[in-house]
Amino acid sequence: MKSFTQIDGLVVPMMRSNVDTDAIIPKQFLKSIKRSGFGVNLFDAWRYDDPGFPGQDASTRQPTKDFILNAPRYKGAQILLAGDNFGCGSSREHAVWALDDYGFRSVIAPSFADIFFNNSFKSGFLPIVVEEAVVERFAAECEASEGYRLSIDLAAQTVTTPSGDVTTFEIDAFRKHCLLNGFDDIGLTLQKRDAIEQYEAARKQSAPWLFT
Amino acid sequence: MAGKTLYDKVWESHVVNEDDDGTVLLYIDRHLVHEVTSPQAFEGLQLAGRQPWRISSMLAVADHNVPTTARDAGIDDPVSKLQVDTLDDNCEAYGITEFKMNDLRQGIVHVIGPEQGATLPGMTVVCGDSHTSTHGAFGALAFGIGTSEVEHVMATQCLVQKKSKAMLVSVDGQTGPGVTAKDIVLAIISEIGTAGGTGYTIEFGGDAIRALSMEGRMTVCNMSIEAGARAGMVAVDQTTIDYVKERPFSPSAHHWDKAVAAWQQLHSDADAQFDKVVRLDASSIQPQVSWGTSPEMVTDVNGQVPDPASVDDPIKSEGMQRALEYMGLTPATAIQDIKLDRVFIGSCTNSRIEDLRAAAEVIKKRKVASTVKQAMVVPGSGLVKQQAENEGLDTLFTDAGFEWREPGCSMCLAMNADKLEPGERCASTSNRNFEGRQGQGGRTHLVSPAMAAAAAIAGHFVDVREF
Ligand code: SF4
C-alpha cells in the first residue's frame, strides 16, 4: 500500500454536501477491470459538457466552464474541501482510485460516508474530519487567495494554514500506523493465521451448517 | 450489566481477535461476489500469489452489466462483456460457485443470496456492494465493502473492523392500507437524513417491522445505506425461519433444529442499551415520493415540492436549489402534477415476487398512459421471473403495456443498455435518485412498486390508495 506522511498541497473548495460516489466516478467507467486510469473521468458529468464514455480521448472533450476543477487556478490541486457526508452511495472503491489518479491525496470534510472512508486508506489516501466551521474557514481563505495551500502532517495529526494556524484531527491509531508505513493489511492479517484457523475450527463445532 | 443488542450478539460471535484499542478481526461467513467490484481484487490475489481462504463461503453472479433482453446473443457492449467474462474466468480458475448469465438462478446479488438460503440468520455477510445491507433482514450482520476489502476477505476470510454504534429505529403501530415497506424506509430516511445513520448499525424494530414479510424487511434493510448506515438488521422470528427453510443452501435436516435453536437467540435483549433510539408512528406514514437528488428529499404523495427559500441553513438551501434545477421542478408544484416519461419496476430494493404482485394488483386490466414512453418490469432473479410467470403476472404486465425483462440491475444504475435520456423523468422502485444515476441527465423519483404501477397507468403520480 502507498504510504502517507505529509504533504503541502494546493487546495480546492467544493462545499457541497452529499457528494456521492456516482458523481465522483460515474458508472460507465466502472466497467474497467483495472485500478488505474480513472482520473480523467473524475466528476465526469460535472466536469464535461459532453457525455463521457470509457476509452474516450479526453483532449477532444468540452470542459464545463463553471466547474471548479476546470478553473486554471486549481490545476494540480491535491487537497479537496467538501461538505457533509462526502462519498455517500455506492461502495465503489473506484471513487478513491479516481481522486488519487487525478492527483488528490486528501479530502477534508465535516463527515464522510463509512464505506468511502474505509476505502480511502487502502490507496494511501487520507480523509480528514474537522468541524464544519473549520472547513468553511479554509474554503473562505482559499477562495480569497489564489494559490492557497494547506500542509498536512499525519504523524502530528495537524493541518496548518499558510498563516500558521494549526488544526488537529483525530485518526484511528491502527490506520495511522498502516498509512505512515504503507503496510499491506492482508499481510498483517495473515500474521494472525493461527487465530483465524482456531476460530474456524471452533465455529465448525458450534455452527456446522455454516460450513457445508 | 445491560443486555445485548442483536448487533452485539452477531458481532461478538465473529470476533477472531481483538486489540486493546478495539480493533477487531471479524470472521466473514458469506462472501457474495459480482463482476464490477471483484476483478481488481482477483488480480491483487494473483499478483501476491495468494489463494482464497475458503471458497465455499463465496457465491458469485453477474448482475450489473447483463442485458435484460435477448440474452442468448450474449453481451453487445465489449467493455461490459469483458467484465462479465473476467468474473466467469476467475470463478472457473478458483472453483467458485457462480450463477452464469443464462442460469435460471442468476439475478441481482442481493436477491439471489436470500433466495438460495445463502444468507442465513446470525451470519456475517459481505459483498463489494453497498446494498449488502439488504441481508440484515435475516438477523445477519451484512455490509458493503470496497474492492481492497473484497481482496482482504478472499485472502483471509476476515475483515479488520471497529464496532459501530447501535441505533434502534422503532416503527410503532400499524401502517395504513397502501403503505408499503418502501414507504416506511423512505419515511425513516426523511426523518433521520442521509447521514443520520453514519457510524451506526441500525436495528429496525416495532410492530410495523414485525408485521412485514421477509421481502418487506429486505426492502427496509436495503436502504439502510441511504440513511448512512452500513448495516441494518431485523431480529429473527418465525417469519424469518419459515422463509429460510428448505432453500438450496439452508442447513440440512440434520443440522436444522440446532440451527433454529441458535437463531432464536437473535434478537436484542429487553434491557439492551442503544446509543440512539428513533421512533416513528406507522399510522402517520403516507405513500412517499422523492422530489430531489438525494433519498432524504422525499415527501408524501399528497404533498408539494418544497421551497428552498423556506430553509435557513444556506448549504442545505443551496443543495435543494441545485436539486430542483436538476430535476426541472419548481417549488409548490403538487407531487401529483408531476408527469412521467418512464417507469422502472426492479432493483434489489423492489424486484421480489411480492413487489411484482403488488404492482400487478394495481394495474387491474388498465393500460399504461400513452404519454409514458416506456414502462418496464425487471424481475430480481430468474426464479422470481419464473414464479411470476407461473402466476400469470407477466401477462398482466404485458397486456397493460409494460415490458417484461430478464433479471439484473438494469435501469437501477444504467450500466447496461437500459437508461434514461437527458431530461427524462422516471418513477422508479430503486434506491438512489442521485444525479445521473439512471442515465446522464435523467430524473429519478423513488417510489414503491404499487405507486410506480399506478403512475404508469395515470402518466403522473397518484395516490395509490385512491386509485
Ligand atoms: S439493483 Fe441497483 S442498487 Fe441493487 S445491486 Fe444492482 S445496481 Fe446496486
Side-chain angles (χ1 to χ4, degrees):
Chain A
M1 188 178 85
K2 205 156 89 180
S3 65
F4 186 110
T5 49
Q6 51 185 47
I7 59 164
D8 176 62
L10 187 70
V11 181
V12 55
M14 206 163 95
M15 297 304 292
R16 298 179 188 179
S17 325
N18 299 317
V19 171
D20 60 78
T21 55
D22 276 77
I24 299 173
I25 183 82
K27 70 250 166 173
Q28 62 269 38
F29 306 108
L30 309 188
K31 295 181 185 186
S32 165
I33 58 171
K34 299 262 168 285
R35 257 178 202 266
S36 53
F38 295 102
V40 289
N41 301 113
L42 177 71
F43 295 118
D44 199 273
W46 292 346
R47 191 165 145 204
Y48 303 101
D49 282 334
D50 54 329
F53 55 86
Q56 215 169 356
D57 175 3
S59 66
T60 63
R61 300 188 61 191
Q62 281 307 316
T64 304
K65 268 210 194 67
D66 56 0
F67 183 59
I68 194 152
L69 284 192
N70 293 333
R73 64 177 277 198
Y74 295 120
K75 198 170 155 47
Q78 286 184 295
I79 299 169
L80 184 69
L81 303 178
D84 257 320
N85 202 25
F86 187 84
C88 62
S90 147
S91 66
R92 60 188 72 164
E93 198 164 323
H94 312 65
V96 178
W97 301 338
L99 286 161
D100 175 69
D101 193 50
Y102 181 88
F104 283 113
R105 299 297 316 280
S106 176
V107 178
I108 303 178
S111 66
F112 290 88
D114 288 337
I115 304 180
F116 177 87
F117 192 77
N118 278 327
N119 286 344
S120 297
F121 296 96
K122 315 288 178 184
S123 295
F125 187 86
L126 181 63
I128 296 179
V129 179
V130 299
E131 277 173 36
E132 185 163 350
V134 177
V135 193
E136 278 172 10
R137 180 162 53 83
F138 291 161
E141 289 175 7
C142 182
E143 270 157 30
S145 95
E146 194 167 334
Y148 183 84
R149 302 174 82 84
L150 285 171
S151 100
I152 300 172
D153 184 340
L154 176 57
Q157 299 179 213
T158 55
V159 181
T160 308
T161 66
S163 63
D165 181 80
V166 178
T167 303
T168 56
F169 61 89
E170 294 295 316
I171 180 171
D172 177 89
F174 176 73
R175 282 187 162 135
K176 177 177 171 182
H177 178 65
C178 289
L179 213 49
L180 283 173
N181 296 290
F183 283 147
D184 159 24
D185 51 356
I186 295 180
L188 288 180
T189 298
L190 285 174
Q191 289 175 6
K192 303 205 175 91
R193 180 178 281 277
D194 291 349
I196 306 172
E197 282 170 354
Q198 268 169 27
Y199 171 90
E200 224 170 30
R203 189 83 173 146
K204 268 184 193 157
Q205 296 297 317
S206 62
W209 60 89
L210 295 175
F211 292 86
T212 48
Chain B
M1 212 178 93
K4 292 183 194 304
T5 62
L6 168 61
Y7 174 50
D8 291 334
K9 292 180 186 181
V10 181
W11 174 272
E12 286 167 12
S13 64
H14 289 84
V15 173
V16 170
N17 181 76
E18 180 159 359
D19 289 339
D20 295 341
D21 72 343
T23 303
V24 158
L25 199 57
L26 195 73
Y27 189 83
I28 302 303
D29 295 315
R30 176 66 68 203
H31 186 186
L32 302 166
V33 175
H34 70 74
E35 80 276 21
V36 181
T37 52
S38 66
Q40 298 87 350
F42 278 114
E43 188 190 48
L45 209 61
Q46 279 151 11
L47 289 175
R50 293 176 175 132
Q51 286 295 315
W53 183 283
R54 186 158 76 81
I55 284 164
S56 67
S57 71
M58 297 167 78
L59 176 62
V61 72
D63 53 4
H64 286 63
N65 278 282
V66 297
T68 55
T69 51
R71 274 209 186 154
D72 295 339
I75 305 177
D76 261 355
D77 175 358
V79 202
S80 287
K81 181 173 182 325
L82 176 64
Q83 204 166 55
V84 174
D85 288 349
T86 304
L87 179 68
D88 291 354
D89 294 347
N90 282 323
C91 289
E92 217 147 283
Y94 291 107
I96 296 162
T97 305
E98 185 200 4
F99 298 157
K100 293 222 167 103
M101 189 168 77
N102 288 319
D103 189 314
L104 180 63
R105 300 167 297 175
Q106 182 269 345
I108 305 170
V109 65
H110 309 307
V111 174
I112 68 160
E115 183 173 83
Q116 293 293 323
T119 302
L120 294 172
M123 269 185 167
T124 43
V125 180
V126 297
C127 175
D129 194 283
S130 60
H131 290 100
T132 309
S133 59
T134 312
H135 308 261
F138 290 81
L141 175 59
F143 52 88
I145 55 179
T147 297
S148 296
E149 288 185 320
V150 167
E151 183 183 340
H152 194 282
V153 176
M154 284 177 179
T156 70
Q157 209 58 40
C158 292
L159 278 175
V160 178
Q161 293 283 299
K162 273 214 168 152
K163 203 170 173 192
S164 49
K165 290 179 284 185
M167 184 192 297
L168 174 68
V169 174
S170 184
V171 189
D172 304 321
Q174 274 190 331
T175 49
V179 175
T180 67
K182 181 65 161 286
D183 303 304
I184 294 177
V185 72
L186 286 172
I188 293 172
I189 295 165
S190 116
E191 171 79 21
I192 69 176
T194 43
T198 306
Y200 289 93
T201 291
I202 299 179
E203 178 175 342
F204 298 99
D207 302 335
I209 301 291
R210 293 258 72 81
L212 291 174
S213 64
M214 287 315 295
E215 282 87 348
R217 294 178 192 182
M218 284 189 252
T219 301
V220 172
C221 288
N222 175 272
M223 292 192 74
S224 311
I225 185 74
E226 267 65 60
R230 272 178 100 181
M233 303 176 90
V234 175
V236 174
D237 60 11
Q238 198 56 41
T239 307
T240 326
I241 294 169
D242 292 344
Y243 181 99
V244 167
K245 197 161 190 194
E246 286 169 6
R247 293 185 181 260
F249 288 69
S250 293
S252 61
H254 177 62
H255 292 309
W256 180 255
D257 291 344
K258 193 175 175 190
V260 170
W263 297 342
Q264 278 163 343
Q265 309 306 314
L266 295 173
H267 51 79
S268 291
D269 296 333
D271 56 345
Q273 294 287 323
F274 289 87
D275 299 290
K276 187 169 180 183
V277 177
V278 176
R279 290 188 185 279
L280 273 82
D281 170 14
S283 67
S284 70
I285 300 175
Q286 313 290 316
Q288 302 284 301
V289 180
S290 75
W291 53 265
T293 52
S294 161
E296 68 189 2
M297 296 173 168
V298 62
T299 187
D300 294 354
V301 64
N302 294 307
Q304 295 183 340
V305 174
D307 187 352
S310 68
V311 173
D312 289 340
D313 176 354
I315 293 191
K316 194 162 181 210
S317 176
E318 244 169 70
M320 287 170 73
Q321 186 62 47
R322 265 185 69 85
L324 290 186
E325 269 163 36
Y326 181 85
M327 293 297 289
L329 292 173
T330 43
T333 305
I335 293 293
Q336 299 203 29
D337 287 343
I338 299 175
K339 296 191 177 56
L340 298 154
D341 301 304
R342 298 197 202 222
V343 175
F344 171 66
I345 298 177
S347 90
C348 58
T349 316
N350 284 128
S351 64
R352 299 177 183 84
I353 190 67
E354 192 179 274
D355 301 313
L356 305 192
R357 285 181 192 140
E361 167 83 25
V362 167
I363 295 173
K364 289 190 206 120
K365 298 209 177 332
R366 290 178 282 200
K367 301 271 182 225
V368 171
S370 60
T371 48
V372 171
K373 286 186 218 166
Q374 183 188 39
M376 64 168 156
V377 185
V378 184
S381 73
L383 289 167
V384 168
K385 179 168 183 255
Q386 187 184 50
Q387 171 75 24
E389 287 170 358
N390 289 343
E391 296 178 17
L393 303 185
D394 57 325
T395 328
L396 283 176
F397 284 119
T398 50
D399 285 354
F402 281 86
E403 294 173 25
W404 180 246
R405 297 290 189 95
E406 298 295 331
C409 294
S410 180
M411 211 159 71
C412 171
L413 97 162
M415 227 173 137
N416 69 355
D418 311 336
K419 51 178 74 108
L420 298 179
E421 295 299 322
E424 281 184 345
R425 192 180 294 288
C426 180
S428 176
T429 66
S430 55
N431 43 45
R432 287 191 175 135
N433 50 352
F434 298 158
E435 286 184 22
R437 172 77 178 181
Q438 296 193 288
Q440 199 162 8
R443 296 161 171 165
T444 303
H445 295 271
L446 305 175
V447 286
S448 74
M451 284 285 291
I457 306 291
H460 55 87
F461 288 113
V462 282
D463 188 340
V464 69
R465 295 169 298 187
E466 291 156 15
F467 194 64

